[in-house]
Amino acid sequence: MVIGETTGKPSSAKRDCPVWEVTVNINAFSNYHGKKELDEMLDDIVQVLTGSAELEQIEIAGYYFHGLEIDMVEAFKEEYEDGTVWQHGVVRVIVKVEQKEM
């Protein structure tokens, strides 16, 4: 698994300390011949993230955590010139945070 690209944007401009929506892509890879292993990996990622958010167990240094949303889950096959085939999955997560005062 690889934590990939992140982007951030303010979710409201009407606050002194804006709440940010940070989008994070989590990539998972499997060289298993079918999609079963990748599907299990993606399910585990979603379960851990949503469960941790519901139990308020997510802490980000310097920020107040305001919530998490699974934006997208995608799976596709990648075929390479050497004949190898990998399954690639992406879980896109939107995390809402507010910076603590410095």
Side-chain angles (χ1 to χ4, degrees), residues 2 5 26-35 38 74-90:
V2 177
E5 308 79 30
I26 301 171
N27 296 279
F29 300 90
S30 169
N31 63 353
Y32 183 75
H33 295 289
K35 283 183 47 184
L38 180 68
E74 179 180 28
F76 49 91
K77 182 168 47 171
E78 292 183 349
E79 298 182 37
Y80 298 98
E81 290 180 16
D82 67 356
T84 58
V85 176
W86 283 75
Q87 300 294 327
H88 180 184
V90 180

